[in-house]
Amino acid sequence: LFAACAPIYHMKNRLSGLPADAFLGVKPQDGCTARLAFQVYPRGGGFLNRHADPVDYHQLSVPILQVTRKGIDFETGGLFVQMADGRDLVIDDIAEPGDVVYFNAGCPHGVEPIDPGVPMHWTRFAGRWMLLFAVNRLAANTAIGNAVTLTRTETTTSGPNE
């Protein structure tokens, strides 16, 4: 999978001012490692709190691959990114399955509850799916901060360790 996804990581790294193959080796590099994460937000209310990811030497952007389609796989909710003017852009309203979306990791973002009015059935795998192209810090790496949970009115900066 990493070989097939290498071009996405290469763009992610170049946007961050890094060599194309940064963090893609078999061993961790500079206290970080690349990870692929398939994520499902199940119908019935799966969500992710508004937050900002750390922006530091390991990343500027967070690319995701859209796997499902709003209106077919789920009806309400979805990935949002808070824009500079404070409004939320709902990525699922404009992205199609197969699209790769890059956004600034420091921008507040999250997932509004997916079809909260229907019963949740984890084993049906129904809902919103995505593939996240992450570069994670190792637990021993204290040079990079953690993601920060935000309220709707909070903003964040995109400087190191913020």
Side-chain angles (χ1 to χ4, degrees), residues 2-59:
F2 276 99
C5 296
I8 296 166
Y9 277 104
H10 293 164
M11 177 65 76
K12 171 186 173 63
N13 287 335
R14 290 193 190 283
L15 289 170
S16 298
L18 298 167
D21 287 327
F23 309 112
L24 293 176
V26 175
K27 295 182 180 182
Q29 176 186 336
D30 298 326
C32 298
T33 189
R35 292 284 182 249
L36 290 169
F38 286 94
Q39 296 180 338
V40 62
Y41 299 89
R43 294 188 75 218
F47 72 99
L48 181 62
N49 288 338
R50 181 179 301 269
H51 68 284
D53 295 318
V55 172
D56 213 302
Y57 64 85
H58 71 307
Q59 71 178 0

Side-chain angles (χ1 to χ4, degrees), residues 6 10 19 21 33 46 48-49 56 58-59 66 78-79 83 98 101 115 125 128 133 145 148 159:
H10 293 164
D21 287 327
T33 189
L48 181 62
N49 288 338
D56 213 302
H58 71 307
Q59 71 178 0
Q66 193 77 7
L79 173 66
M83 307 305 289
V101 179
D115 297 341
F125 299 102
R128 180 185 187 279
F133 301 88
V148 177

Side-chain angles (χ1 to χ4, degrees), residues 17-150:
L18 298 167
D21 287 327
F23 309 112
L24 293 176
V26 175
K27 295 182 180 182
Q29 176 186 336
D30 298 326
C32 298
T33 189
R35 292 284 182 249
L36 290 169
F38 286 94
Q39 296 180 338
V40 62
Y41 299 89
R43 294 188 75 218
F47 72 99
L48 181 62
N49 288 338
R50 181 179 301 269
H51 68 284
D53 295 318
V55 172
D56 213 302
Y57 64 85
H58 71 307
Q59 71 178 0
L60 170 62
S61 69
V62 176
I64 62 124
L65 173 71
Q66 193 77 7
V67 177
T68 50
R69 184 184 317 262
K70 189 172 185 176
I72 294 177
D73 300 298
F74 62 98
E75 296 299 323
T76 63
L79 173 66
F80 64 87
V81 177
Q82 186 175 322
M83 307 305 289
D85 63 6
R87 68 183 172 87
D88 287 341
L89 174 64
V90 180
I91 301 298
D92 291 296
D93 288 347
I94 57 174
E96 302 283 329
D99 288 351
V100 176
V101 179
Y102 293 79
F103 62 91
N104 184 320
C107 289
H109 60 280
V111 177
E112 289 291 332
I114 303 299
D115 297 341
V118 302
M120 187 179 296
H121 298 284
W122 283 94
T123 57
R124 291 188 186 160
F125 299 102
R128 180 185 187 279
W129 282 82
M130 69 175 210
L131 173 56
L132 175 69
F133 301 88
V135 173
N136 297 125
R137 71 172 179 88
L138 301 178
N141 181 351
T142 58
I144 298 172
N146 292 318
V148 177
T149 299
L150 303 169

